[in-house]
Amino acid sequence: MSESTAGRSRDVLMGLEVTREGLSVETGPVVRAAEPRDVPRLGATLTVALADSRWTRWALPVDGRVQRLTRLHELLAHRGAATGTAWVDTRVDSVAAWEAPDGAPDTQPVPADVAGALAREVPYLHGERARVVADTAALVSAVRPSGPHWWLATLATRPSARRRGLATAVLAPGLRRADHAGLPAATAVHSWAAVRFLRGSGFEVSETLRTSDDQLAVYVLVRAPQPV
């Protein structure tokens, strides 16, 4: 079994109890790396989960908001599936999408066509909010860990599938990758409820900011690598 295949197998087998006799009963959600075939469902999950979030209402114009959000999530789904940096449950009801450090094992660079689409379309999708979104991203970038790290770009679960442990499950593979590499993981969120949830996986608030227009709080969290 290759290193890449072994890594994927560990992800797929998450949630199964291993005994001396082999695999036993399922004890939790089964998680796997997102694949290109998942893109439509993955994008839809992100949109359903985040359609009414604080960030969505702040970052996207009212005019055509759902359509803009849907396209933005399609692009993010393509990036996650193509680079090997997104994990989902078997029904793709929950997703954790990361930005990996350059050269991370079992990941691929962003394909040129996806990178081009992101560069062209993201500013258009944000419309008149594009400047404040970009300025806020720059504020966050300035306080991210200075060295290589795994960046949690999106963590979302469909409302109908919440409270089943899915978010914790899909978050875990990226954290394991960071731990095996001895690297921190980091993210930025806009609600204290998200902070409380992420603290359960070892994240701690490193910076508290405001968006560049002073409309939203921004909590930057960092998780130190854990022993493996």
Side-chain angles (χ1 to χ4, degrees), residues 98-142:
W98 297 78
E99 295 172 12
D102 291 343
D106 298 321
T107 66
Q108 302 295 325
V110 180
D113 59 337
V114 176
L118 287 164
R120 288 191 311 272
E121 296 190 44
V122 169
Y124 165 77
L125 294 171
H126 286 294
E128 71 261 21
R129 302 298 296 163
R131 173 57 62 184
V132 72
V133 170
D135 288 347
T136 300
L139 293 175
V140 172
S141 181

Side-chain angles (χ1 to χ4, degrees), residues 5 9 16 22 28 60 70 90 93 100 109 123 139 160 169 174 188 192 196 201 219:
T5 302
S9 295
L16 296 180
L60 298 174
T70 299
T90 53
D93 283 336
L139 293 175
S160 60
W192 197 249
R196 288 197 302 268
S201 293
Y219 304 101

Side-chain angles (χ1 to χ4, degrees), residues 41 89 91 93-94 157-167:
R41 174 76 176 179
D89 67 296
R91 291 178 52 85
D93 283 336
S94 188
T157 302
R158 287 176 177 255
S160 60
R162 290 173 184 166
R163 301 186 183 279
R164 301 179 190 173
L166 293 179

Side-chain angles (χ1 to χ4, degrees), residues 3-88:
E3 179 180 350
S4 176
T5 302
R8 288 196 298 271
S9 295
R10 285 193 296 271
D11 294 342
V12 170
L13 296 181
M14 180 181 172
L16 296 180
E17 180 182 357
V18 180
T19 68
R20 288 184 180 181
E21 291 74 26
L23 293 176
S24 185
V25 297
E26 186 174 317
T27 60
V30 176
V31 174
R32 59 177 175 79
E35 302 174 2
R37 64 186 173 91
D38 298 317
V39 166
R41 174 76 176 179
L42 196 161
T45 289
L46 290 174
T47 297
V48 169
L50 301 174
D52 198 39
S53 71
R54 294 179 184 178
W55 182 88
T56 297
R57 297 195 304 272
W58 170 80
L60 298 174
V62 174
D63 179 34
R65 179 174 287 163
V66 173
Q67 291 81 3
R68 293 171 188 266
L69 186 65
T70 299
R71 179 55 180 163
L72 179 62
H73 286 155
E74 287 175 352
L75 293 170
L76 297 180
H78 277 292
R79 183 178 68 185
T83 58
T85 57
W87 284 270
V88 296

